[in-house]
Amino acid sequence: MKLIIKFFPEITIKTRPVRKRFIQQLKGNLKAVLRAIDSDARVSGNWDFLEVSLGADPTLQQCCIERLRNTPGIAHFVEVHEYELDTLEQLADLCVENVGEQIRGKTFAVRCRRVGTHPFSSPEAAAFLGSELFERCGAAGVSLKNPQVWVNVEIRDQRVLLIQKRHEGMGGFPLGTQEPVLCLLSGGFDSTVAAYQMLQRGLLPHFIFFNMGGRAHELGVRQVAHYMWERYASSHRLRFISVPFEGVVAELLTNIDNPLMGVVLKRMMLRAANRVAWRLGLDALVTGEAIAQVASQTLPNLRVIDKASDLLVLRPLITTSKTDIIRTAREIGTEGFASSMPEYCGIISVSPAIRSTPNQVETAEANFDFEILDAAIAAAGYHECEELEQPMEGMSDVEVVDQALTGQVVIDIRHPDEREQAPFVIEGVEVKPIPFYELSIRFKELDPARNYLLYCQKGIMSQMHAQTLADAGHGHVRVLRPRAAI
């Protein structure tokens, strides 16, 4: 099979040296991703288009086509049959053989593009081929404005390319033509779409994840990161950095004024990401924030948050609606991940500040023990994205039940403010309040002979922390999700 790759239009308007560099980068990217699928794949061409030759295996051909659809830098590509040009009469015979059955009983038109020196023009060739096809194939007629079938022919010197099928690409610039960046990845809708938009502009997005929900939380985000790399960026080496942030969250909840917790949390994330980016030689940070989507994302708060980083902070979704973000997530294949992984809600301010000032935040942060942040950064784990599909060592399944039995203990891990607003009581069952940020320490004090059920309003945080406890060897922990919440 032969494919013709057409470049994203913005590539073709670059200066000659830039265009050449972009095309060479795309060529190298295609060689890397296609030969990993089909060892017979070959890539050639260097200015107007690239040609891809694939082996004869139909299954591998379809895998390569799917990969090309998701390779940045490609506007579209077409499947073609290639022949040596002899005469227009011989070309007409080839067209009848290849597309005769497609146009039978339908209206059609011929589109011909000619490059080189020939005794006929492009319109003359199109008119001749159209006449021959109409007379010999039983077509319903010729319609130049709205045909049911387009017959596309390219004549390049002594070669003829009969186009069989067109596939749309994802556009953008080839990966590696722009600088690498560090994307803050939560696994939700916003951060995955922001990372995709970086990929689409040719930037290499490494991922940093701030783990506030234990190994189960990390497992979900690792799956998203691997999906993004494998589907859109497997031509390059991308890294996934996991920073344990539970201690930072506990310090915030203990020592930071409630209205400022969201802003301070974001500043701590940027501080950590900034230091990791410098270590990896990355040029900017990327977040999925959109203006006024939540309280911490007002203009005054974003201004204060940005002061925590020495690097440029890019926000590609800054004016994008949530509806459009979700639609894009559906198109790029991350909606399923995001739907099962809601944004982490461990820190919820009762009356969040929407117009914080640098002085207010700096005064609040004077009470924060920055050694805890230093320890989190030092404990960060660095992984290659291609390794993320491998099972995390020690992971085990945690049972979810919809009712508590007599003799079991329910641990309400919600924040004290949530418990106060919506107390949780089960008749005949002990309910013990232990906030999630104290759970790992206080759980050791509990009777190991009892069975414990973790509870939170949505069941997400409780499942993550139950997994953490199970990983630590506590086999008598389950998750309680009452039937109404399932």
Side-chain angles (χ1 to χ4, degrees):
M1 173 183 283
K2 183 179 288 292
L3 306 171
I4 302 296
I5 308 295
K6 298 292 187 176
F7 308 127
F8 181 57
E10 283 188 51
I11 296 175
T12 64
I13 62 174
K14 298 294 184 184
T15 63
R16 186 176 184 88
V18 173
R19 177 174 176 173
K20 183 177 180 180
R21 176 170 63 87
F22 278 32
I23 292 173
Q24 285 302 111
Q25 181 69 63
L26 177 58
K27 190 174 181 180
N29 294 350
L30 293 181
K31 288 180 179 179
V33 299
L34 294 179
R35 289 181 181 173
I37 300 172
D38 181 358
S39 60
D40 293 328
R42 297 293 182 267
V43 183
S44 60
N46 54 27
W47 187 252
D48 289 329
F49 60 91
L50 294 178
E51 292 187 14
V52 174
S53 298
L54 302 176
D57 188 325
T59 300
L60 296 183
Q61 290 176 359
Q62 290 307 307
C63 290
C64 289
I65 288 173
E66 181 63 23
R67 184 55 53 87
L68 290 174
R69 288 195 188 106
N70 299 304
T71 297
I74 297 175
H76 68 270
F77 59 99
V78 292
E79 301 177 32
V80 302
H81 289 168
E82 181 179 1
Y83 304 93
E84 289 292 325
L85 176 64
D86 187 4
T87 63
L88 282 182
E89 288 75 16
Q90 178 254 358
L91 177 55
D93 292 338
L94 293 174
C95 289
V96 170
E97 178 184 346
N98 280 274
V99 302
E101 288 303 314
Q102 296 179 34
I103 66 174
R104 188 174 303 279
K106 299 178 181 178
T107 60
F108 77 100
V110 177
R111 182 187 287 136
C112 181
R113 183 171 185 266
R114 182 188 60 84
V115 177
T117 302
H118 304 90
F120 52 82
S121 66
S122 296
E124 289 172 341
F128 177 79
L129 295 174
S131 175
E132 290 290 307
L133 288 170
F134 178 67
E135 292 181 5
R136 298 166 61 180
C137 299
V142 176
S143 173
L144 299 180
K145 291 185 177 180
N146 189 30
Q148 292 175 282
V149 179
W150 277 105
V151 178
N152 294 291
V153 180
E154 286 198 17
I155 302 173
R156 293 183 173 273
D157 297 320
Q158 296 308 116
R159 292 194 306 159
V160 175
L161 302 177
L162 297 184
I163 299 173
Q164 304 298 303
K165 189 175 183 180
R166 174 176 169 137
H167 303 274
E168 297 303 318
M170 65 180 283
F173 294 147
L175 282 182
T177 55
Q178 309 301 312
E179 290 71 25
V181 294
L182 185 62
C183 288
L184 279 66
L185 188 68
S186 69
F189 291 101
D190 303 341
S191 62
T192 53
V193 173
Y196 172 80
Q197 293 192 356
M198 294 295 102
L199 286 163
Q200 201 173 35
R201 295 302 290 180
L203 295 101
L204 293 173
H206 299 270
F207 304 113
I208 186 168
F209 161 60
F210 296 98
N211 191 343
M212 298 179 286
R215 293 171 65 84
H217 191 190
E218 178 171 340
L219 176 62
V221 181
R222 285 166 65 106
Q223 291 174 335
V224 177
H226 181 269
Y227 172 85
M228 296 290 291
W229 168 81
E230 195 276 335
R231 187 172 178 85
Y232 301 108
S234 61
S235 58
H236 287 74
R237 174 189 177 195
L238 298 185
R239 283 186 168 179
F240 176 84
I241 300 96
S242 176
V243 183
F245 238 50
E246 287 182 301
V248 174
V249 170
E251 179 69 7
L252 288 173
L253 291 169
T254 303
N255 293 317
I256 300 299
D257 292 340
N258 187 284
L260 295 174
M261 288 193 301
V263 171
V264 174
L265 175 63
K266 292 290 183 66
R267 281 169 60 90
M268 295 300 169
M269 289 179 175
L270 285 196
R271 284 189 175 99
N274 195 81
R275 287 163 61 177
V276 170
W278 278 115
R279 175 179 176 180
L280 298 178
L282 308 181
D283 296 295
L285 307 180
V286 179
T287 79
E289 292 161 318
I291 191 68
Q293 191 175 110
V294 297
S296 65
Q297 295 174 21
T298 63
L299 283 179
N301 285 346
L302 291 175
R303 172 175 172 266
V304 172
I305 291 169
D306 277 359
K307 289 182 177 295
S309 174
D310 295 331
L311 292 175
L312 174 67
V313 180
L314 301 176
R315 296 184 173 92
L317 307 183
I318 192 66
T319 62
T320 310
S321 71
K322 194 70 174 184
T323 301
D324 289 341
I325 292 171
I326 293 174
R327 182 173 61 248
T328 302
R330 183 177 305 121
E331 293 171 355
I332 66 176
T334 60
E335 182 186 28
F337 295 105
S339 297
S340 60
M341 194 186 313
E343 294 290 334
Y344 185 80
C345 56
I347 291 184
I348 302 177
S349 297
V350 177
S351 299
I354 60 173
R355 298 186 62 85
S356 60
T357 67
N359 287 338
Q360 289 175 329
V361 173
E362 289 169 6
T363 299
E365 289 181 349
N367 298 317
F368 185 89
D369 183 358
F370 279 88
E371 290 187 0
I372 295 176
L373 180 64
D374 294 339
I377 297 171
Y382 291 74
H383 311 275
E384 300 296 329
C385 282
E386 62 182 314
E387 302 170 351
L388 296 180
E389 66 176 346
Q390 300 174 6
M392 290 179 64
E393 185 178 351
M395 284 295 293
S396 59
D397 294 328
V398 175
E399 183 181 358
V400 178
V401 300
D402 60 10
Q403 61 180 346
L405 304 176
T406 302
Q408 295 178 329
V409 178
V410 174
I411 300 179
D412 188 344
I413 69 169
R414 295 176 298 165
H415 190 279
D417 292 340
E418 290 184 83
R419 293 202 307 267
E420 182 177 349
Q421 295 173 7
F424 183 71
V425 178
I426 302 178
E427 185 176 353
V429 175
E430 179 183 357
V431 177
K432 192 175 186 66
I434 302 178
F436 65 92
Y437 52 88
E438 297 179 359
L439 186 61
S440 61
I441 297 175
R442 293 180 54 185
F443 192 84
K444 301 174 184 177
E445 305 169 0
L446 302 180
D447 184 356
R450 304 287 297 275
N451 289 318
Y452 298 94
L453 308 178
L454 303 192
Y455 169 82
C456 68
Q457 187 169 356
K458 293 184 178 180
I460 302 299
M461 202 187 318
S462 56
Q463 191 160 9
M464 294 174 179
H465 285 276
Q467 183 66 66
T468 299
L469 292 174
D471 293 339
H474 302 292
H476 51 306
V477 179
R478 296 177 177 81
V479 173
L480 174 62
R481 292 182 65 192
R483 190 172 299 278
I486 295 180

